[in-house]
């Protein structure tokens, strides 16, 4: 072989090594992000939807609003009915005050006539008539108190029912706010202001791009070298020939074997049974969803 040819081959080998090559890896796969679909929890016209694709949102942040006019009117109606119903509650003490006064008067009369009877200044029949009147008034008092108490119980039950309906309406009003349940970046927007939202309709797709996962596949011998929480090296494509290195943590290992995904392996390797592994990686902004990546198990 000519010296020039040997020199050319050596330079090519060095260039490949400096360019990053693959450097050897134990598994490969694609990067994924934890994605959450933000769905409408109410029904009505979308009056505001501020989030755009690429917008960063925080967990619990309101990013839009569904119309609540009809629900607000229903709430006002229930509040008015609640006030009217509550006003029908009886003041038992005030309602029976007149009867109690009559009973007290009759008892004073009885004491006066009792002294007269003892001194033979009045007959016994008058005292018996007063006793009968007192007994009648006591029965009327008991009956009126029972009626008033039952009426109040009925009013209380109606008030509780209205309060429950009011709470339901307030809950529906609260759910008309479009809120992101997680912190992340808006990856897709499925609706616009002015459109009609139905309960359960997908409005936004939010993903956590700060903490990505490499979903890689290992064979049975490699599986024995992995455990949950283990630190591994992760490589992402960097240009045409380079690779960017990251530190990753094994978070999940499948307990079921599957055929190697056709999208990332050769024809021969597709016939192998492998196990899926998810490795968490802190994203510096260069890792993208769907990007090809590799994993190398390091000796701890």
């Amino acid at each position: 072989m000519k010296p020039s040819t040997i020199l050319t081959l050596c330079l090519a080998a060095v260039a490949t090594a400096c360019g990053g090559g693959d450097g050897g890896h134990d598994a490969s796969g694609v990067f994924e992000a934890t994605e959450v679909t933000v769905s409408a929890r109410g029904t009505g016209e979308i009056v505001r939807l501020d989030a755009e694709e690429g917008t960063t949102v925080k967990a619990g942040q309101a990013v839009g609003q569904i119309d609540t006019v009809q629900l607000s009117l229903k709430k006002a109606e229930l509040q008015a009915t609640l006030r009217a119903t509550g006003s029908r509650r009886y003041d038992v003490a005030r309602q029976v005050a007149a009867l109690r006064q009559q009973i007290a008067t009759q008892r004073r009369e009885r004491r006066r006539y009792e002294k007269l009877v003892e001194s033979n200044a009045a007959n016994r029949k008058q005292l018996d008539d007063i006793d009968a009147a007192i007994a009648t008034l006591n029965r009327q008092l008991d009956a009126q108190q029972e009626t008033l108490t039952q009426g109040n119980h009925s009013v209380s039950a109606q008030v509780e029912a209205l309060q429950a309906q009011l709470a339901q309406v307030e809950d529906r009003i609260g759910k008309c706010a479009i809120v992101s349940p997680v912190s992340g970046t808006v990856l897709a927007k499925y609706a616009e202001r002015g459109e009609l939202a139905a309960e359960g309709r997908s409005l936004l797709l939010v993903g956590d791009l700060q903490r990505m996962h490499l979903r890689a596949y290992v064979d049975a011998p490699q599986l024995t070298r992995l455990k949950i929480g283990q630190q591994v090296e992760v490589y992402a494509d960097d240009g045409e020939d380079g690779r960017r290195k990251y530190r990753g943590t094994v978070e999940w290992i499948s307990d079921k074997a599957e055929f190697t995904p056709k999208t990332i392996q050769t024809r021969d390797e597709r016939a192998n049974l492998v196990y899926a592994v998810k490795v968490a990686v802190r994203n510096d902004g260069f890792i993208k969803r769907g990007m090809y990546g590799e994993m190398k198990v390091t000796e701890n």
Side-chain angles (χ1 to χ4, degrees):
M1 183 179 293
K2 296 180 179 180
S4 59
T5 304
I6 296 174
L7 178 61
T8 301
L9 293 174
C10 291
L11 291 174
V14 172
T16 301
C18 294
D22 60 11
H25 62 275
D26 296 307
S28 58
V30 293
F31 287 101
E32 302 174 343
T34 301
E35 301 174 356
V36 175
T37 300
V38 181
S39 302
R41 299 181 298 166
T43 300
E45 180 185 352
I46 300 174
V47 296
R48 182 173 63 85
L49 189 57
D50 301 330
E52 300 293 338
E53 294 180 355
T55 303
T56 300
V57 296
K58 295 182 179 180
Q61 177 182 343
V63 296
Q65 181 67 45
I66 297 174
D67 179 58
T68 60
V69 172
Q70 294 302 317
L71 290 175
S72 297
L73 293 175
K74 181 64 175 178
K75 178 181 177 180
E77 178 185 355
L78 286 172
Q79 288 174 331
T81 305
L82 185 60
R83 289 192 296 270
T85 302
S87 66
R88 295 203 300 268
R89 187 177 280 109
Y90 298 107
D91 185 343
V92 177
R94 180 176 297 179
Q95 293 291 328
V96 300
L99 277 175
R100 291 188 182 279
Q101 182 61 43
Q102 293 180 43
I103 293 172
T105 300
Q106 290 294 329
R107 285 176 176 170
R108 287 196 299 270
E109 284 294 305
R110 187 186 188 288
R111 288 194 294 270
R112 187 169 68 86
Y113 271 94
E114 189 175 19
K115 293 178 180 179
L116 293 175
V117 170
E118 290 176 354
S119 60
N120 295 322
N123 57 43
R124 183 71 189 181
K125 182 178 181 305
Q126 291 175 312
L127 190 60
D128 293 340
D129 290 342
I130 293 175
D131 287 338
I134 292 175
T136 300
L137 290 173
N138 280 325
R139 287 192 295 271
Q140 292 177 1
L141 176 63
D142 293 339
Q144 188 170 358
Q145 284 181 322
E146 182 179 356
T147 300
L148 294 174
T149 300
Q150 289 178 350
N152 283 346
H153 287 165
S154 177
V155 170
S156 297
Q158 294 176 40
V159 167
E160 290 177 1
L162 289 170
Q163 288 174 336
Q165 294 179 42
L166 187 59
Q168 290 176 345
V169 172
E170 290 175 341
D171 179 66
R172 291 172 60 189
I173 290 176
K175 288 182 177 179
C176 283
I178 302 171
V179 178
S180 174
V182 296
S183 298
T185 302
V186 178
L187 305 177
K189 186 177 181 181
Y190 305 128
E192 296 291 342
R193 176 183 175 183
E195 293 184 11
L196 182 65
E199 187 173 349
R201 177 186 174 181
S202 298
L203 304 177
L204 301 169
L205 180 66
V206 178
D208 182 5
L209 301 183
Q210 301 298 315
R211 193 167 181 271
M212 303 287 286
H213 290 88
L214 174 65
R215 187 181 185 91
Y217 296 86
V218 299
D219 56 21
Q222 292 171 328
L223 184 68
T224 61
R225 301 169 56 198
L226 291 175
K227 63 180 180 179
I228 301 297
Q230 182 176 346
Q231 297 292 309
V232 296
E233 292 179 357
V234 175
Y235 298 90
D237 290 342
D238 185 17
E240 294 183 358
D241 301 321
R243 297 193 306 171
R244 190 178 295 272
K245 180 180 176 181
Y246 298 90
R247 197 69 176 168
T249 304
V250 178
E251 286 196 342
W252 174 79
I253 301 174
S254 175
D255 59 350
K256 296 181 180 179
E258 58 184 286
F259 287 105
T260 308
K262 298 180 180 180
T263 56
I264 61 173
Q265 299 295 343
T266 65
R267 179 182 297 272
D268 292 336
E269 291 173 323
R270 289 201 295 267
N272 297 333
L273 285 175
V274 293
Y275 295 84
V277 177
K278 289 181 70 173
V279 180
V281 180
R282 178 60 59 181
N283 189 8
D284 56 2
F286 290 101
I287 301 178
K288 310 298 188 299
R289 290 184 304 151
M291 180 182 287
Y292 182 80
E294 299 166 346
M295 178 192 77
K296 184 176 180 60
V297 180
T298 57
E299 298 298 333
N300 296 327

